[in-house]
PDB file of all heavy atoms in Angstrom:
ATOM      1  N   MET A   1     -14.718 -41.158  41.284  1.00  0.00           N
ATOM      2  CA  MET A   1     -14.302 -39.948  41.948  1.00  0.00           C
ATOM      3  C   MET A   1     -15.268 -39.620  43.067  1.00  0.00           C
ATOM      4  O   MET A   1     -16.436 -39.922  42.979  1.00  0.00           O
ATOM      5  CB  MET A   1     -14.253 -38.790  40.973  1.00  0.00           C
ATOM      6  CG  MET A   1     -13.169 -38.857  39.971  1.00  0.00           C
ATOM      7  SD  MET A   1     -13.119 -37.288  39.119  1.00  0.00           S
ATOM      8  CE  MET A   1     -11.521 -37.424  38.420  1.00  0.00           C
ATOM      9  N   MET A   2     -14.779 -38.952  44.086  1.00  0.00           N
ATOM     10  CA  MET A   2     -15.596 -38.539  45.214  1.00  0.00           C
ATOM     11  C   MET A   2     -15.945 -37.067  45.055  1.00  0.00           C
ATOM     12  O   MET A   2     -15.069 -36.240  44.888  1.00  0.00           O
ATOM     13  CB  MET A   2     -14.825 -38.729  46.520  1.00  0.00           C
ATOM     14  CG  MET A   2     -14.507 -40.178  46.823  1.00  0.00           C
ATOM     15  SD  MET A   2     -15.947 -41.241  46.948  1.00  0.00           S
ATOM     16  CE  MET A   2     -16.890 -40.417  48.179  1.00  0.00           C
ATOM     17  N   TYR A   3     -17.231 -36.768  45.114  1.00  0.00           N
ATOM     18  CA  TYR A   3     -17.676 -35.390  44.984  1.00  0.00           C
ATOM     19  C   TYR A   3     -18.502 -34.998  46.196  1.00  0.00           C
ATOM     20  O   TYR A   3     -19.257 -35.807  46.731  1.00  0.00           O
ATOM     21  CB  TYR A   3     -18.525 -35.220  43.721  1.00  0.00           C
ATOM     22  CG  TYR A   3     -17.745 -35.484  42.456  1.00  0.00           C
ATOM     23  CD1 TYR A   3     -17.780 -36.734  41.848  1.00  0.00           C
ATOM     24  CD2 TYR A   3     -16.971 -34.487  41.892  1.00  0.00           C
ATOM     25  CE1 TYR A   3     -17.057 -36.978  40.695  1.00  0.00           C
ATOM     26  CE2 TYR A   3     -16.246 -34.721  40.732  1.00  0.00           C
ATOM     27  CZ  TYR A   3     -16.292 -35.967  40.138  1.00  0.00           C
ATOM     28  OH  TYR A   3     -15.573 -36.207  39.006  1.00  0.00           O
ATOM     29  N   ASP A   4     -18.375 -33.730  46.606  1.00  0.00           N
ATOM     30  CA  ASP A   4     -19.203 -33.246  47.704  1.00  0.00           C
ATOM     31  C   ASP A   4     -20.554 -32.807  47.159  1.00  0.00           C
ATOM     32  O   ASP A   4     -20.832 -32.959  45.973  1.00  0.00           O
ATOM     33  CB  ASP A   4     -18.501 -32.124  48.480  1.00  0.00           C
ATOM     34  CG  ASP A   4     -18.270 -30.863  47.656  1.00  0.00           C
ATOM     35  OD1 ASP A   4     -18.852 -30.732  46.560  1.00  0.00           O
ATOM     36  OD2 ASP A   4     -17.517 -29.997  48.125  1.00  0.00           O
ATOM     37  N   GLY A   7     -20.697 -30.826  44.021  1.00  0.00           N
ATOM     38  CA  GLY A   7     -20.124 -31.444  42.831  1.00  0.00           C
ATOM     39  C   GLY A   7     -18.626 -31.263  42.711  1.00  0.00           C
ATOM     40  O   GLY A   7     -18.040 -31.512  41.665  1.00  0.00           O
ATOM     41  N   HIS A   8     -17.960 -30.849  43.803  1.00  0.00           N
ATOM     42  CA  HIS A   8     -16.521 -30.664  43.796  1.00  0.00           C
ATOM     43  C   HIS A   8     -15.829 -31.933  44.282  1.00  0.00           C
ATOM     44  O   HIS A   8     -16.313 -32.601  45.191  1.00  0.00           O
ATOM     45  CB  HIS A   8     -16.108 -29.495  44.683  1.00  0.00           C
ATOM     46  CG  HIS A   8     -16.732 -28.196  44.297  1.00  0.00           C
ATOM     47  ND1 HIS A   8     -17.047 -27.227  45.206  1.00  0.00           N
ATOM     48  CD2 HIS A   8     -17.113 -27.703  43.085  1.00  0.00           C
ATOM     49  CE1 HIS A   8     -17.584 -26.199  44.586  1.00  0.00           C
ATOM     50  NE2 HIS A   8     -17.635 -26.474  43.303  1.00  0.00           N
ATOM     51  N   TYR A   9     -14.689 -32.238  43.695  1.00  0.00           N
ATOM     52  CA  TYR A   9     -13.882 -33.391  44.068  1.00  0.00           C
ATOM     53  C   TYR A   9     -13.451 -33.239  45.530  1.00  0.00           C
ATOM     54  O   TYR A   9     -13.021 -32.180  45.963  1.00  0.00           O
ATOM     55  CB  TYR A   9     -12.678 -33.464  43.133  1.00  0.00           C
ATOM     56  CG  TYR A   9     -11.828 -34.690  43.279  1.00  0.00           C
ATOM     57  CD1 TYR A   9     -12.352 -35.962  43.081  1.00  0.00           C
ATOM     58  CD2 TYR A   9     -10.483 -34.591  43.589  1.00  0.00           C
ATOM     59  CE1 TYR A   9     -11.578 -37.090  43.202  1.00  0.00           C
ATOM     60  CE2 TYR A   9      -9.691 -35.716  43.704  1.00  0.00           C
ATOM     61  CZ  TYR A   9     -10.248 -36.950  43.514  1.00  0.00           C
ATOM     62  OH  TYR A   9      -9.464 -38.072  43.634  1.00  0.00           O
ATOM     63  N   ASP A  10     -13.563 -34.310  46.332  1.00  0.00           N
ATOM     64  CA  ASP A  10     -13.265 -34.262  47.762  1.00  0.00           C
ATOM     65  C   ASP A  10     -12.530 -35.534  48.170  1.00  0.00           C
ATOM     66  O   ASP A  10     -13.008 -36.636  47.915  1.00  0.00           O
ATOM     67  CB  ASP A  10     -14.579 -34.126  48.540  1.00  0.00           C
ATOM     68  CG  ASP A  10     -14.368 -34.015  50.026  1.00  0.00           C
ATOM     69  OD1 ASP A  10     -13.346 -33.451  50.452  1.00  0.00           O
ATOM     70  OD2 ASP A  10     -15.221 -34.507  50.783  1.00  0.00           O
ATOM     71  N   VAL A  11     -11.356 -35.381  48.805  1.00  0.00           N
ATOM     72  CA  VAL A  11     -10.537 -36.519  49.215  1.00  0.00           C
ATOM     73  C   VAL A  11     -10.105 -36.323  50.665  1.00  0.00           C
ATOM     74  O   VAL A  11      -9.879 -35.196  51.102  1.00  0.00           O
ATOM     75  CB  VAL A  11      -9.279 -36.636  48.317  1.00  0.00           C
ATOM     76  CG1 VAL A  11      -8.382 -37.781  48.755  1.00  0.00           C
ATOM     77  CG2 VAL A  11      -9.656 -36.802  46.867  1.00  0.00           C
ATOM     78  N   ILE A 134     -16.099 -46.415  48.744  1.00  0.00           N
ATOM     79  CA  ILE A 134     -16.231 -45.272  47.829  1.00  0.00           C
ATOM     80  C   ILE A 134     -17.672 -45.068  47.369  1.00  0.00           C
ATOM     81  O   ILE A 134     -18.161 -43.933  47.423  1.00  0.00           O
ATOM     82  CB  ILE A 134     -15.239 -45.384  46.653  1.00  0.00           C
ATOM     83  CG1 ILE A 134     -13.816 -45.166  47.193  1.00  0.00           C
ATOM     84  CG2 ILE A 134     -15.568 -44.373  45.551  1.00  0.00           C
ATOM     85  CD1 ILE A 134     -12.710 -45.344  46.175  1.00  0.00           C
ATOM     86  N   PRO A 135     -18.392 -46.098  46.945  1.00  0.00           N
ATOM     87  CA  PRO A 135     -19.796 -45.847  46.564  1.00  0.00           C
ATOM     88  C   PRO A 135     -20.643 -45.297  47.723  1.00  0.00           C
ATOM     89  O   PRO A 135     -21.472 -44.409  47.512  1.00  0.00           O
ATOM     90  CB  PRO A 135     -20.298 -47.225  46.116  1.00  0.00           C
ATOM     91  CG  PRO A 135     -19.070 -47.956  45.689  1.00  0.00           C
ATOM     92  CD  PRO A 135     -17.979 -47.473  46.613  1.00  0.00           C
ATOM     93  N   LYS A 137     -19.516 -43.566  50.337  1.00  0.00           N
ATOM     94  CA  LYS A 137     -19.058 -42.204  50.598  1.00  0.00           C
ATOM     95  C   LYS A 137     -19.620 -41.248  49.550  1.00  0.00           C
ATOM     96  O   LYS A 137     -20.033 -40.135  49.875  1.00  0.00           O
ATOM     97  CB  LYS A 137     -17.534 -42.174  50.601  1.00  0.00           C
ATOM     98  CG  LYS A 137     -16.938 -40.845  50.924  1.00  0.00           C
ATOM     99  CD  LYS A 137     -16.227 -40.866  52.239  1.00  0.00           C
ATOM    100  CE  LYS A 137     -15.405 -39.613  52.435  1.00  0.00           C
ATOM    101  NZ  LYS A 137     -16.134 -38.516  52.973  1.00  0.00           N
ATOM    102  N   PHE A 138     -19.659 -41.691  48.313  1.00  0.00           N
ATOM    103  CA  PHE A 138     -20.206 -40.875  47.228  1.00  0.00           C
ATOM    104  C   PHE A 138     -21.665 -40.520  47.516  1.00  0.00           C
ATOM    105  O   PHE A 138     -22.067 -39.361  47.410  1.00  0.00           O
ATOM    106  CB  PHE A 138     -20.078 -41.637  45.901  1.00  0.00           C
ATOM    107  CG  PHE A 138     -20.590 -40.886  44.723  1.00  0.00           C
ATOM    108  CD1 PHE A 138     -19.840 -39.883  44.135  1.00  0.00           C
ATOM    109  CD2 PHE A 138     -21.837 -41.172  44.192  1.00  0.00           C
ATOM    110  CE1 PHE A 138     -20.314 -39.176  43.040  1.00  0.00           C
ATOM    111  CE2 PHE A 138     -22.333 -40.475  43.104  1.00  0.00           C
ATOM    112  CZ  PHE A 138     -21.565 -39.471  42.527  1.00  0.00           C
ATOM    113  N   GLU A 139     -22.467 -41.504  47.905  1.00  0.00           N
ATOM    114  CA  GLU A 139     -23.877 -41.254  48.221  1.00  0.00           C
ATOM    115  C   GLU A 139     -24.008 -40.374  49.465  1.00  0.00           C
ATOM    116  O   GLU A 139     -24.854 -39.492  49.534  1.00  0.00           O
ATOM    117  CB  GLU A 139     -24.632 -42.574  48.416  1.00  0.00           C
ATOM    118  CG  GLU A 139     -24.823 -43.360  47.131  1.00  0.00           C
ATOM    119  CD  GLU A 139     -25.558 -42.565  46.053  1.00  0.00           C
ATOM    120  OE1 GLU A 139     -26.592 -41.934  46.366  1.00  0.00           O
ATOM    121  OE2 GLU A 139     -25.096 -42.568  44.903  1.00  0.00           O
ATOM    122  N   ASN A 141     -21.919 -38.113  50.514  1.00  0.00           N
ATOM    123  CA  ASN A 141     -21.517 -36.736  50.208  1.00  0.00           C
ATOM    124  C   ASN A 141     -22.620 -35.937  49.527  1.00  0.00           C
ATOM    125  O   ASN A 141     -22.563 -34.707  49.518  1.00  0.00           O
ATOM    126  CB  ASN A 141     -20.259 -36.716  49.347  1.00  0.00           C
ATOM    127  CG  ASN A 141     -19.016 -37.015  50.146  1.00  0.00           C
ATOM    128  OD1 ASN A 141     -19.046 -37.062  51.368  1.00  0.00           O
ATOM    129  ND2 ASN A 141     -17.917 -37.229  49.462  1.00  0.00           N
TER     130      ASN A 141
END
Side-chain angles (χ1 to χ4, degrees):
M1 290 190 163
M2 296 301 305
Y3 296 96
D4 65 13
H8 302 148
Y9 187 60
D10 182 33
V11 178
I134 290 176
K137 182 112 169 85
F138 181 79
E139 290 303 313
N141 284 350

